[in-house]
Amino acid sequence: MLEIEIDGNKVAIPAGGTIMDAAAQVGIYIPHFCYHKKLSIAANCRMCLVQVEKAAKPMPACATPITDGMKVFTKSDYAVKAQKGVMEFLLINHPLDCPICDQGGECSLQDLAVGYGGSSSRYQEVKRVVKDKDLGPLVATDMTRCIHCTRCVRFGQEIAGIMEMGQVGRGEHSEIMPFINKTIDSELSGNIIDLCPVGALTSKPFRYTARSWELSRRKSVSPHDGLGSNLAVNVKNNQVMRVLPLENEAINECWLSDKDRFSYEGLNAEQRLTRPMVKQDGKWMEVDWQAALEYVVNGLKQIRELHGADSIGALAIPHQTLEELYLLQKLVRGLGTGNVDARLRQSDFSADAALTGAPWLGMPVAEIDKLDRVLLVGSTLRQDHPLLAHRLRQAVKHGAQLSLVNPVDDDLLMKVANKSIVAPQAMVNALMQIAVALASQTGKALPSAIAALAAEIKAGPECESIAGSLASGEHKVVLLGNMAQHHPQYADLHALAQVIADLSGAAFGFLGEAANSVGAYIAGAVPRHGKTGLNAEAMLAMPRKAYLLLGAEPELDSHNPAQAMRALQNADMVVAMSAYKHAAMDYADVLLPIAPFTETAGTFISTEGRVQSFNGAVKPLGETRPAWKVLRVLGTMLGLSGFDYDTAEAVRQSVLPNGDLPASALSNQLSAIKVSSVAVAETVMRIGEVPMYQADAIVRRAESLQKTHNAEAPVAQANSAMLATLGITSGSMVTVRQGEAKAVMRVQANDALPLNCVRVAASHPHTAGLGAMMGEISLERA
């Protein structure tokens, strides 16, 4: 520790710290533009010049390391004169367009110009004008305002992992720009809007819609991926105008993914359902809530009497709140059945009986960037978990080794130490190879339950390298991603990942698919832990007479949409509780408008097991009602006990009496290790990942996100050698078949894919008529 004096305050700072660090520690503000606590030091704006005793010139506080006994003056005449001189230079070419600038009211240059700017300019020459750049549908540019702080450039290189912006030219000819004719396509691109200290980079969807001082700011939690990013929802006239990050170092730091930032557009989409609707004689008609609820209650009672309670099933999505999922399962079980599930994209439930708790990340999110060994199994990481990908990227930058077992070899924008890219049907075999190699390298015995299968396996060089990486290191983890959880042999992958973690001494975790993937287990919205009932796949494979859908759009949210649609179209009654009019207009009998997350109070339990509650940011639109209230009233009208809740907090109290999760609720361990098969099928398998901006109902309706490159229509991708065998040329149109289901699309050669598989995105309107996300598939020329 070194001691320095800053404006008369003595402070001890670790060696290697800067004057800016010392000032922050004692609460002294030093004006700055280019400095940001999460980015490297650039020291190019010079706004933070301060006086240092015995120094021959003013020193930049952000880049000057402290020395023992140093004396610093940040507000002396000498320092302030230097800062005012810098401000005068910055304002020479800056346009006087504050009244029409979206940054007005929250602009660092505006604020500091009040304190350090002159009342008039001595500069009489013509100001320079810089041509605006097209950065895509999310970020708007006014580059004449740019002060060349390079925050956006450094963010791309250091946080997003891809250099999409750069600085060209020198002196007054300097310009910040993307690469020629390129847009910004990073899944974290919106953060450069927050980082820009002036109005050069602003939000294109928000542009010219409101002034910052007109907005109310409400805390909330993201409903999209399992991280549970903290949000500041900005509201005007009962409408969400924009969403910004709420800083939380333990979760999302000061960042947001584009999915979290721009999805608010979907909240006010044209498809919003605002009044209850009932289908009569094949035609939809709007009714009041009383009539709609009576229709539902009478229909459920009639079906229960005619066919029994087991003929009723409930399907939810894990983006719904804890309270809603709890009341849904309570209603269904009150009717006399356990047919309720929120795992619509899962296809293998054979491990349910061996689960000892709710699958979770296995460690705090904040510890991910401290890991030194990681094995990632079955994940399109950047699409599914953008900010967890960022944390892993930081770990790799600090020396961690990331190993990968995956059916796709996407660019993770970080160094991958070892990888085994295999077709979906070979993933179980690859994990067994790693387990065998680890047992050999560590001298530990494999569990007896898999010893016979392991005897047939010889580890290849890739799997030996992955095992060697895991065997070394101290802080390590084995993570199962979304594709692993959607895999038809998910239970085998789970068992082997647990074996690998045990052999290597690593933590073991799951990357939660949605905001409440953990919460669904805690709420009891899955048939397990002594609660009998059919899982989601069984409810659709063996169709029920009646379905209750909570937030689900099964044509896009289920593992096998073709199977789901057959079941729903043949049902006697389908009740769709949704915020939107969707394909349920074709198969449902009742549509009940429920509130999205901004219009209701609720709780999400993140993938790390963190309980986060929030309140509605705006009033429900039209006659929309919070789903927990709808379910409460349905329960009461059906004559079920235990539905006398007045608030969402009271419902949460029933699920979490102490307000937090008991430690025993979370567990990734299987009570018994079992692997059904390590054989590699010769069939051609589909790789059906969920596209980034098709993950849930709100994102699917966010107009600007749907204009990005990441939201382009899916194509069928396959290895060029496989296409040559089939006589298909890259770029031609093909018919993709899965059983009786088919779709016509363009084919594209991708030699990063293994043989015997075809990559066709799921959860997209273009592919909604196809079968299982990871089922058998065939290609033929259209």
Side-chain angles (χ1 to χ4, degrees):
M1 301 292 287
L2 305 178
E3 189 174 276
I4 76 165
E5 185 181 302
I6 180 166
D7 288 349
N9 301 287
K10 290 191 175 181
V11 56
I13 294 288
T18 63
I19 294 174
M20 189 74 85
D21 298 330
Q25 187 163 318
V26 293
I28 294 174
Y29 177 73
I30 299 176
H32 60 272
F33 293 113
C34 68
Y35 170 78
H36 190 277
K37 61 183 180 181
K38 294 288 184 182
L39 303 176
S40 61
I41 302 299
N44 55 11
C45 77
R46 315 308 281 185
M47 192 64 213
C48 66
L49 291 176
V50 294
Q51 180 182 359
V52 177
E53 189 179 65
K54 298 180 182 177
K57 59 182 180 180
M59 306 294 286
C62 67
T64 304
I66 58 170
T67 57
D68 205 24
M70 175 186 276
K71 285 190 177 182
V72 179
F73 306 93
T74 69
K75 294 177 175 61
S76 66
D77 292 343
Y78 184 80
V80 171
K81 182 181 178 182
Q83 292 161 356
K84 286 187 173 183
V86 170
M87 178 58 72
E88 184 175 16
F89 275 114
L90 287 174
L91 294 177
I92 278 177
N93 278 313
H94 200 80
L96 296 173
D97 63 350
C98 295
I100 63 155
C101 178
D102 257 17
Q103 196 81 357
E106 48 192 10
C107 173
S108 299
L109 187 68
Q110 208 174 48
D111 294 342
L112 294 178
V114 173
Y116 299 91
S119 58
S120 61
S121 174
R122 293 184 288 171
Y123 187 74
Q124 300 300 318
E125 288 75 17
V126 176
K127 289 177 180 264
R128 79 169 191 157
V129 176
V130 181
K131 185 180 178 181
D132 291 335
K133 313 297 187 288
D134 179 14
L135 301 187
L138 303 180
V139 182
T141 61
D142 285 280
M143 299 312 292
T144 302
R145 301 173 185 156
C146 179
I147 60 170
H148 309 109
C149 69
T150 68
R151 281 184 176 185
C152 56
V153 177
R154 284 175 285 147
F155 172 81
Q157 290 175 297
E158 299 164 16
I159 306 297
I162 180 170
M163 187 176 177
E164 294 182 297
M165 300 280 278
Q167 183 167 359
V168 299
R170 301 193 67 179
E172 75 161 7
H173 301 293
S174 296
E175 287 189 42
I176 301 290
M177 61 170 62
F179 291 102
I180 299 171
N181 295 327
K182 293 280 188 180
T183 56
I184 300 295
D185 297 321
S186 165
E187 62 278 6
L188 304 176
S189 67
N191 290 292
I192 63 177
I193 298 167
D194 299 338
L195 286 172
C196 186
V198 294
L201 303 174
T202 54
S203 169
K204 195 170 276 189
F206 175 68
R207 194 171 174 84
Y208 302 141
T209 58
R211 305 298 283 176
S212 64
W213 54 85
E214 299 174 319
L215 301 171
S216 301
R217 290 159 177 80
R218 317 273 166 77
K219 295 180 181 180
S220 193
V221 180
S222 167
H224 304 304
D225 61 35
L227 181 63
S229 295
N230 288 192
L231 312 177
V233 178
N234 290 195
V235 176
K236 177 186 176 185
N237 297 334
N238 200 49
Q239 184 173 336
V240 177
M241 305 303 292
R242 69 173 175 180
V243 170
L244 299 176
L246 190 64
E247 187 169 346
N248 189 328
E249 280 297 311
I251 304 173
N252 55 302
E253 302 173 80
C254 56
W255 313 121
L256 267 191
S257 67
D258 289 352
K259 186 194 297 184
D260 293 336
R261 183 184 298 271
F262 296 107
S263 64
Y264 72 88
E265 285 188 296
L267 297 170
N268 300 302
E270 290 183 9
Q271 285 187 305
R272 272 300 297 268
L273 177 66
T274 56
R275 292 199 66 191
M277 299 180 75
V278 173
K279 188 186 283 184
Q280 293 283 7
D281 299 323
K283 293 183 179 179
W284 284 101
M285 56 186 289
E286 292 185 345
V287 297
D288 60 31
W289 270 102
Q290 184 67 26
L293 292 173
E294 285 178 356
Y295 186 98
V296 173
V297 168
N298 292 334
L300 289 175
K301 284 181 177 178
Q302 188 174 2
I303 287 170
R304 182 173 63 173
E305 289 171 8
L306 289 174
H307 305 285
D310 197 48
S311 64
I312 299 171
L315 300 170
I317 55 172
H319 303 275
Q320 301 299 132
T321 68
L322 181 76
E323 294 81 354
E324 293 162 0
L325 293 169
Y326 173 72
L327 288 180
L328 177 69
Q329 65 86 26
K330 190 169 185 176
L331 184 144
V332 172
R333 293 196 166 99
L335 288 171
T337 180
N339 300 338
V340 57
D341 207 346
R343 302 167 295 175
L344 301 195
R345 292 192 176 121
Q346 189 172 321
S347 63
D348 180 12
F349 297 87
S350 56
D352 274 10
L355 290 175
T356 55
W360 68 299
L361 187 62
M363 63 191 303
V365 165
E367 292 183 10
I368 289 178
D369 45 12
K370 299 180 179 66
L371 294 166
D372 51 27
R373 298 290 185 273
V374 180
L375 172 59
L376 183 62
V377 181
S379 176
T380 45
L381 185 65
R382 287 173 54 204
Q383 290 195 49
D384 300 333
H385 310 283
L387 287 173
L388 291 180
H390 149 64
R391 286 199 182 259
L392 283 171
R393 192 174 298 121
Q394 300 311 306
V396 171
K397 281 173 65 176
H398 298 142
Q401 292 181 10
L402 175 73
S403 299
L404 190 63
V405 176
N406 220 22
V408 296
D409 192 12
D410 292 345
D411 186 359
L412 299 181
L413 302 179
M414 65 184 97
K415 181 182 178 183
V416 178
N418 311 283
K419 57 188 176 185
S420 176
I421 307 300
V422 295
Q425 59 269 38
M427 287 177 66
V428 173
N429 191 284
L431 287 195
M432 183 64 91
Q433 289 183 45
I434 296 169
V436 168
L438 265 173
S440 173
Q441 292 176 17
T442 61
K444 297 178 181 177
L446 289 166
S448 57
I450 64 170
L453 287 173
E456 307 168 14
I457 297 294
K458 185 179 186 308
E462 295 166 341
C463 295
E464 286 277 2
S465 299
I466 293 172
S469 174
L470 279 176
S472 60
E474 294 182 7
H475 306 291
K476 40 200 173 184
V477 69
V478 178
L479 295 171
L480 288 183
N482 291 9
M483 291 174 75
Q485 294 166 56
H486 302 157
H487 196 282
Q489 285 182 273
Y490 166 50
D492 293 344
L493 294 176
H494 186 164
L496 287 171
Q498 180 175 323
V499 169
I500 290 168
D502 290 344
L503 289 172
S504 60
F508 172 39
F510 290 80
L511 298 173
E513 179 178 5
N516 244 345
S517 294
V518 172
Y521 282 86
I522 304 303
V526 295
R528 57 177 287 274
H529 272 189
K531 295 177 178 177
T532 58
L534 299 178
N535 56 55
E537 198 276 336
M539 273 187 262
L540 295 170
M542 298 180 288
R544 306 293 95 188
K545 292 293 182 181
Y547 289 97
L548 292 171
L549 305 180
L550 178 59
E553 299 178 2
E555 64 279 4
L556 297 172
D557 292 326
S558 57
H559 183 82
N560 189 331
Q563 175 181 272
M565 294 305 291
R566 283 195 300 271
L568 292 166
Q569 286 165 350
N570 292 325
D572 292 346
M573 183 180 186
V574 175
V575 180
M577 290 174 272
S578 174
Y580 301 97
K581 298 175 184 176
H582 58 96
M585 300 287 284
D586 297 330
Y587 56 76
D589 299 283
V590 188
L591 290 174
L592 301 179
I594 60 170
F597 78 107
T598 50
E599 299 171 20
T600 183
T603 303
F604 292 139
I605 302 179
S606 72
T607 190
E608 67 170 340
R610 184 183 296 265
V611 177
Q612 298 188 101
S613 297
F614 55 91
N615 292 313
V618 294
K619 294 177 182 176
L621 188 64
E623 293 184 29
T624 298
R625 297 289 181 268
W628 71 267
K629 288 187 176 181
V630 176
L631 291 163
R632 177 197 66 184
V633 175
L634 279 175
T636 302
M637 292 175 70
L638 283 163
L640 307 179
S641 61
F643 280 84
D644 51 345
Y645 297 106
D646 294 325
T647 62
E649 289 78 6
V651 183
R652 183 172 67 248
Q653 188 73 17
S654 295
V655 192
L656 303 171
N658 299 319
D660 213 338
L661 283 179
S664 59
L666 303 175
S667 176
N668 296 320
Q669 299 298 305
L670 296 173
S671 58
I673 297 295
K674 179 185 175 185
V675 176
S676 59
S677 172
V678 292
V680 180
E682 293 297 322
T683 54
V684 177
M685 293 281 285
R686 176 185 178 185
I687 304 171
E689 83 276 18
V690 179
M692 193 184 313
Y693 300 137
Q694 293 290 332
D696 61 76
I698 299 174
V699 172
R700 287 194 277 264
R701 291 166 176 85
E703 186 179 350
S704 296
L705 290 177
Q706 297 308 320
K707 293 177 182 176
T708 63
H709 287 305
N710 288 318
E712 289 177 348
V715 296
Q717 295 184 352
N719 191 290
S720 57
M722 179 177 159
L723 292 179
T725 303
L726 297 171
I728 297 172
T729 56
S730 181
S732 63
M733 301 300 290
V734 294
T735 300
V736 179
R737 293 187 185 275
Q738 286 190 276
E740 297 177 3
K742 65 178 182 178
V744 177
M745 63 184 66
R746 196 166 299 282
V747 71
Q748 185 182 82
N750 181 353
D751 287 341
L753 291 173
L755 292 170
N756 289 337
C757 61
V758 180
R759 188 177 190 179
V760 179
S763 304
H764 194 284
H766 288 20
T767 58
L770 291 174
M773 294 169 69
M774 288 195 179
E776 290 188 30
I777 194 168
S778 65
L779 290 181
E780 58 187 56
R781 282 178 290 185

